[in-house]
């Protein structure tokens, strides 16, 4: 690689980016007038011959200087750069089998630990262990979840910032940018492409912040279904990405044709198609705004719900990179003001995004997620005032005379979440696979740093063992019958890492009917995880979330 790959003056100012291309993108699918203008531009534009490289220089400086201005693209006959690095062919999500041997094995992850309004009973909840790695055939949707939640929240907040700044209506946009024969002199061609797109969007349309998702492949035309319903390309087949990803050999239906899906908020009409032909002529890049079906429908993204669905769809088949030492990643980036100016996403927005994602996941990812923001503990507890205990329970799980606590281990260690409401592996879920309740407004799902989503399968659960609540031997001759008035607990489920403080609280342990089971579950969690607080299946603020494939 040439050390002069930017063709600068050696003073680290990097005034321009040099890139090349051997072929341009398909220019079909634009609205009528824009398509006609682009077709005319392409007709009068000489395409590079096979093997020839067209060279472009994109200026990133030049204000108050004669010559190029920032964002200008000029054609060059030669360069000192070695333009020999293409955009990469990357793996698709879920393409490498199980990432860990224990993916899917039950692990205690949540427990009924209570809140300000409820003491909590201590019942542990087991779920399938999740790596949240995008290459894992079981857990890749958890990686999508993390990306979608963060990106949708930031885009929505950035749109509000722009509206407050300009006083004008701001709308979300989804634009596809393509230059398949893209070449650079760089070990990080995707990062170089991000920088080029950032400069073109800024100086041609005034877009100061955006997100980019990298797609290495398109479905071959002979297999692809028409995608006109969302402004996509025509096809000669009947396959969608869902069909391709669920096939035994997805690559047989695909061709390497790299492109980027861009999302950004902008004022009405700010992204003008009249600029597209000139950008194509100067830079080789084709920009195509995704719009809803219908001749008069020029809406790209309708609302936050639609934004979440479109992002989920894009991440479902984006490229997976291994460029970082700690883990694989779905290839995307926030650029410009979207990365620098969004300091806060309101809790209400986070909750709404989460609810919409739980709606989208079954259809787009083939996985059902449960929103634990709406889940409560359904373990049966003795009726009575909160904090009262009829059993005289101590923290070691025995009553006052030293006998075994009658409710000790009604949950089954190692079992999955069970559908029973009278004990079992502990879970708020009444069916085998569950979606989070997602009301139309989406705002009723409260969000907090200690809640997450979990997709649950009960296909491997076992029946719970129950111990009857009986009188002690001293009271066996009592004339007063002993009755067991049981009712659902209704306490808040929290990540089990918070259990330690509860278990150190003697007063709380005294009233928690499942404290012995919680103590055992917490020890198991510490043993199997090393007590790491930042695990994807226990913390909704990090990438991941509990997930299994929909068994249906």
């Amino acid at each position: 690689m040439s050390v002069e790959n930017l063709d600068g003056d050696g003073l680290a100012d990097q005034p321009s980016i040099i890139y090349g291309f051997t072929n341009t993108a398909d220019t079909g699918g634009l609205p009528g007038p824009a398509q006609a203008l682009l077709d005319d531009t392409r007709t009068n534009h000489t395409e590079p011959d096979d093997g020839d490289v067209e060279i472009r220089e994109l200026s990133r400086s030049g204000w108050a200087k004669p010559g190029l201005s920032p964002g200008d693209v000029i054609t060059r006959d030669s360069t000192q750069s070695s333009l020999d690095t293409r955009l990469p062919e990357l793996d698709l999500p879920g393409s490498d089998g199980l990432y860990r041997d224990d993916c899917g094995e039950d692990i205690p992850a949540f427990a009924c630990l209570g809140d300000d309004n409820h003491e909590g009973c201590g019942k542990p909840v087991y779920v399938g262990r999740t790596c949240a790695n995008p290459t894992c055939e079981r857990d890749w949707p958890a990686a999508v979840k993390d990306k979608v939640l963060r990106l949708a929240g930031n885009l929505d907040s950035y749109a509000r910032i722009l509206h407050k700044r300009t006083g004008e209506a701001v709308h979300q946009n989804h634009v596809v940018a393509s230059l398949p024969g893209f070449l650079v002199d760089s070990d990080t061609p995707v990062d170089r492409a991000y920088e080029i797109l950032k400069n073109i969007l800024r100086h041609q349309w005034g877009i100061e912040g955006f997100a980019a998702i990298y797609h290495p492949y398109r479905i071959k035309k002979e297999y692809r279904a028409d995608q006109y319903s969302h402004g996509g390309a025509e096809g000669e087949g009947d396959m969608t990405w869902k069909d391709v990803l669920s096939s035994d050999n997805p690559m047989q239906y695909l061709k390497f044709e790299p492109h980027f899906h861009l999302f950004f908020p902008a004022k009405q009409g700010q992204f003008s198609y009249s600029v597209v032909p000139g950008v194509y002529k100067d830079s080789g890049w084709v920009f195509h705004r995704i719009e809803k079906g219908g001749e008069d429908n020029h809406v790209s993204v309708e609302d936050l719900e639609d934004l979440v669905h479109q992002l989920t769809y894009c991440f479902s088949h984006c490229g997976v990179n291994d460029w970082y030492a700690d883990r694989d990643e779905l290839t995307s980036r926030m650029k410009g003001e979207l990365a620098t100016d969004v300091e806060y996403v309101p809790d209400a927005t986070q909750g709404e995004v989460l609810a919409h994602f739980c709606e989208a996941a079954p259809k787009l990812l083939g996985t059902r997620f449960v929103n634990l923001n709406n889940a409560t503990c359904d373990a049966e507890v003795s009726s009575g005032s909160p904090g009262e205990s009829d059993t005289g329970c101590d923290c070691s799980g025995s009553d006052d005379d030293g006998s075994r606590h009658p409710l000790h281990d009604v949950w089954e260690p190692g079992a999955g979440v069970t559908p029973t409401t009278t004990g079992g592996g502990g879970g708020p879920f009444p069916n085998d696979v569950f979606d989070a309740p997602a009301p139309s407004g989406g705002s009723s799902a409260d969000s907090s740093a200690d809640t997450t989503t979990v997709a649950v399968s009960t296909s491997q659960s076992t029946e719970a063992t129950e111990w009857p609540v009986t009188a002690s031997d001293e009271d066996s001759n009592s004339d007063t019958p002993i009755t067991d008035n049981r009712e659902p607990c209704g306490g808040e489920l929290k990540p089990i890492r918070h259990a330690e403080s509860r278990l150190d609280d003697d007063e709380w342990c005294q009233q928690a009917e499942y404290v012995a089971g919680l103590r055992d579950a917490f020890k198991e969690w510490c043993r199997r995880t090393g007590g790491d607080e930042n695990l994807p299946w226990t913390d909704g603020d990090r990438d991941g979330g509990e997930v299994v494939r929909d068994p249906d």
Side-chain angles (χ1 to χ4, degrees):
M1 177 185 299
S2 168
V3 296
E4 302 176 79
N5 62 84
L6 291 175
D7 286 54
D9 58 11
L11 300 178
D13 61 344
Q14 298 186 354
S16 62
I17 298 176
I18 304 296
Y19 70 94
F21 54 91
T22 55
N23 58 286
T24 55
D26 181 10
T27 56
L30 276 63
Q35 184 63 54
L37 186 59
L38 185 57
D39 288 342
D40 182 65
T41 301
R42 184 163 189 169
T43 300
N44 296 315
H45 177 69
T46 303
E47 289 286 313
D49 296 329
D50 291 341
D52 290 345
V53 177
E54 289 208 21
I55 304 170
R56 295 291 188 269
E57 177 182 352
L58 173 66
S59 175
R60 294 196 290 181
S61 65
W63 292 123
K65 296 180 181 179
L68 293 177
S69 296
D72 285 351
V73 181
I74 63 170
T75 300
R76 294 187 56 157
D77 296 327
S78 63
T79 178
Q80 299 176 61
S81 302
S82 301
L83 302 178
D84 54 7
T85 305
R86 296 184 179 275
L87 292 169
E89 298 186 43
L90 301 177
D91 288 337
L92 292 170
S95 59
D96 288 344
L98 293 178
Y99 182 70
R100 297 172 58 106
D101 292 339
D102 59 355
C103 287
E105 291 184 5
D106 287 339
I107 186 171
F110 300 93
C112 178
L113 301 179
D115 53 27
D116 293 340
N117 301 316
H118 195 289
E119 291 285 354
C121 70
K123 184 71 172 288
V125 175
Y126 280 70
V127 296
R129 188 168 186 170
T130 303
C131 68
N133 189 289
T135 66
C136 181
E137 66 179 6
R138 174 188 181 272
D139 299 336
W140 66 268
V144 173
K145 166 186 164 286
D146 175 68
K147 286 282 191 177
V148 171
L149 265 58
R150 181 166 182 251
L151 187 51
N154 279 40
L155 283 166
D156 184 77
S157 293
Y158 183 46
R160 297 173 189 273
I161 292 172
L162 292 182
H163 172 68
K164 184 177 180 179
R165 182 186 299 168
T166 64
E168 300 184 40
V170 173
H171 305 279
Q172 299 287 353
N173 293 266
H174 178 186
V175 172
V176 178
S178 305
L179 184 57
F182 180 73
L183 292 166
V184 289
D185 183 358
S186 172
D187 291 331
T188 56
V190 174
D191 288 341
R192 190 58 52 84
Y194 289 149
E195 285 299 314
I196 293 172
L197 293 171
K198 174 183 174 181
N199 279 271
I200 292 176
L201 287 172
R202 170 184 292 166
H203 298 293
Q204 297 296 334
W205 288 284
I207 306 300
E208 295 290 345
F210 69 100
I213 303 173
Y214 175 58
H215 282 192
Y217 310 105
R218 283 193 168 102
I219 303 174
K220 294 177 181 177
K221 188 173 183 179
E222 59 265 32
Y223 300 113
R224 183 176 63 230
D226 279 339
Q227 298 172 332
Y228 287 133
S229 60
H230 64 278
E234 64 176 316
E236 300 173 349
D238 58 1
M239 298 189 73
T240 64
W241 271 105
K242 182 178 180 180
D243 300 320
V244 171
L245 294 174
S246 62
S247 67
D248 293 334
N249 182 18
M251 298 307 298
Q252 68 177 311
Y253 305 110
L254 305 178
K255 62 178 178 178
F256 177 64
E257 194 169 300
H259 56 284
F260 295 85
H261 287 257
L262 312 178
F263 290 86
F264 54 85
K267 295 180 295 184
Q268 182 74 32
Q270 184 173 351
F271 182 86
S272 172
Y273 264 124
S274 64
V275 180
V276 170
V279 172
Y280 164 73
K281 179 180 178 181
D282 292 340
S283 69
W285 286 87
V286 172
F287 290 81
H288 176 201
R289 185 172 182 263
I290 300 297
E291 297 179 351
K292 301 297 182 181
E295 293 182 2
D296 298 325
N297 191 345
H298 300 299
V299 174
S300 181
V301 180
E302 291 181 350
D303 50 25
L304 183 57
E305 178 181 6
D306 190 29
L307 176 64
V308 170
H309 280 242
Q310 292 196 39
L311 288 172
T312 302
Y313 174 76
C314 286
F315 277 117
S316 73
H317 53 282
C318 77
V320 178
N321 71 72
D322 58 357
W323 304 329
Y324 304 98
D326 54 343
R327 65 182 293 114
D328 301 306
E329 183 186 15
L330 298 170
T331 307
S332 65
R333 186 71 58 85
M334 291 189 290
K335 299 292 291 185
E337 291 184 351
L338 182 62
T340 61
D341 287 20
V342 178
E343 299 179 353
Y344 170 73
V345 177
D347 289 347
T349 300
Q350 294 177 4
E352 187 175 354
V353 169
L354 182 59
H356 292 322
F357 176 81
C358 289
E359 290 177 337
K363 178 181 178 181
L364 299 177
L365 305 180
T367 304
R368 298 183 187 274
F369 284 78
V370 171
N371 185 350
L372 289 187
N373 291 334
N374 298 323
T376 57
C377 177
D378 68 352
E380 291 194 350
V381 297
S382 300
S383 60
S385 300
E388 293 182 0
S389 175
D390 297 332
T391 61
C393 169
D394 64 19
C395 292
S396 61
S398 61
D399 60 22
D400 290 339
D401 65 0
S403 62
R404 184 186 180 101
H405 192 297
L407 295 177
H408 180 75
D409 283 356
V410 300
W411 55 278
E412 184 104 16
V417 175
T418 62
T420 177
T421 59
T422 57
F429 316 112
N431 299 304
D432 284 349
V433 180
F434 307 86
D435 279 310
S440 58
S443 59
S444 65
D446 296 331
S447 176
S448 72
D450 295 327
T451 53
T452 184
T453 55
V454 50
V456 180
S457 171
T458 61
S459 59
Q460 297 179 344
S461 61
T462 59
E463 274 193 33
T465 304
E466 297 185 34
W467 277 262
V469 179
T470 61
S472 62
D473 292 341
E474 293 90 345
D475 297 330
S476 60
N477 295 323
S478 173
D479 293 334
T480 303
I482 302 298
T483 59
D484 181 20
N485 296 322
R486 315 289 288 164
E487 61 184 20
C489 170
E492 181 181 353
L493 296 178
K494 294 183 178 179
I496 201 170
R497 62 184 172 87
H498 294 293
E500 185 172 16
S501 61
R502 285 299 204 186
L503 292 172
D504 289 338
D505 184 341
D506 291 344
E507 183 178 350
W508 184 85
C509 290
Q510 191 73 16
Q511 65 81 37
E513 295 191 25
Y514 293 86
V515 65
L518 175 61
R519 190 176 297 279
D520 290 344
F522 183 71
K523 289 180 180 178
E524 179 184 354
W525 179 79
C526 289
R527 173 177 57 82
R528 295 178 63 181
T529 67
D532 189 348
E533 293 185 356
N534 296 322
L535 295 172
W537 56 89
T538 62
D539 191 338
D541 282 344
R542 293 177 62 85
D543 39 359
E546 285 314 307
V547 57
V548 295
R549 287 187 177 276
D550 185 348
D552 297 332

